[in-house]
Amino acid sequence: MDSEQKNCRILVLISGSGSNLQAIIDSCDDHLHGEVVGVISNKPDAYGLIRAHNHEIDTSCVIARKGEERNEYDARLKVAIDRYQPDLIVLAGFMRILTPELVNAYLGKMVNIHPSLLPKYPGLDTHQRAIDAGDNEHGASVHFVIPELDAGPIALQAKVPVYREDTAEDLAQRVHQQEHAIYPMVVKWICQKRLIMKNGQCYLDGESLGEQGHAPD
Ligand SMILES: Nc1nc2c(c(=O)[nH]1)N[C@@H](CN(C=O)c1ccc(C(=O)N[C@@H](CCC(=O)O)C(=O)O)cc1)CN2
Ligand SMILES: NCC(=O)N[C@@H]1O[C@H](COP(=O)([O-])[O-])[C@@H](O)[C@H]1O
């Protein structure tokens, strides 16, 4: 990166353990493409907050209030997000569905990792659903976030086998390993301005990616 290019300001939103946050923090160690400038959690006990503190990364909590409407929560969340002035917002196990107003405010600047081979199994409990369906493969998808849940253009996917004796936990662990490889890769591509979302599609180095995103080498 030449001197006048500024580092990409990465803001990570979490709700839990933060193993994907950790993978992204570790991938920014060389300070070449981006820097995690903040972590926001909707859960005060999220272990990912500890991970951020261990790296002296600023953290905020935006906790839902009893009876609060979704748009009221998202208005508070937007204030917290904008305080960091992020170039990229990374949802890493952030377990709230975001309103169209908030998503549209960051269209093309917000990505998510989903634990399935989208468009299969949007939503929750993806590992158990794959096991119950008798699938022999499963995986993870990194996609840009649009208002429709888990329906944004896919940048990259990773596949894992499903074994007959697998529990949902076994499968989750196998998927996690792949997540920790593909998410930092996509974050780096976006920070390097190699990957963009345009007209509802992903483009990597100017080439439109197909429905399933970039095909790994
Ligand atoms: N508008 C969008 N919001 C979000 C997207 C998206 O693509 N568009 N991705 C999700 C991430 N996600 C799956 O990858 C996901 C997160 C949460 C839920 C969900 O049903 N949440 C419930 C609460 C569940 C809980 O508290 O355990 C809810 O918000 O009512 C589904 C999918 C992030 N947001
Ligand atoms: N629908 C969203 C969803 O289920 N996301 C999933 O939450 C986990 C977070 O793990 P982490 O906190 O260790 O990164 C990840 O497996 C991610 O794919």
Side-chain angles (χ1 to χ4, degrees), residues 25-145:
I25 290 170
D26 295 346
S27 73
C28 293
D29 267 354
D30 57 10
H31 299 289
L32 279 182
H33 62 278
E35 178 190 6
V36 178
V37 296
V39 173
I40 296 176
S41 176
N42 65 316
K43 300 290 183 186
D45 58 350
Y47 184 69
L49 293 169
I50 304 291
R51 297 180 192 267
H53 291 149
N54 291 343
H55 291 269
E56 297 175 352
I57 295 169
D58 189 84
T59 61
S60 307
C61 279
V62 182
I63 302 164
R65 295 166 179 162
K66 192 169 170 50
E68 187 176 37
E69 295 292 326
R70 203 177 285 275
N71 61 343
E72 291 172 321
Y73 174 87
D74 279 11
R76 291 194 297 119
L77 179 62
K78 187 172 189 304
V79 169
I81 289 172
D82 290 346
R83 197 164 63 83
Y84 291 99
Q85 293 293 302
D87 299 302
L88 177 60
I89 300 157
V90 174
L91 306 185
F94 185 69
M95 299 305 287
R96 283 188 64 93
I97 297 172
L98 299 169
T99 57
E101 292 73 21
L102 188 130
V103 170
N104 286 329
Y106 304 111
L107 213 52
K109 290 175 63 173
M110 183 181 279
V111 288
N112 178 56
I113 190 153
H114 180 77
S116 80
L117 295 174
L118 290 171
K120 285 187 88 170
Y121 311 127
L124 300 173
D125 302 324
T126 63
H127 308 308
Q128 191 58 56
R129 290 156 68 189
I131 290 169
D132 294 347
D135 294 350
N136 56 23
E137 71 175 13
H138 189 48
S141 305
V142 181
H143 63 94
F144 283 92
V145 175

Side-chain angles (χ1 to χ4, degrees), residues 149-166:
L149 185 63
D150 301 332
I154 296 166
L156 188 58
Q157 293 186 312
K159 292 181 180 176
V160 298
V162 183
Y163 301 116
R164 211 180 15 259
E165 67 282 3
D166 270 342

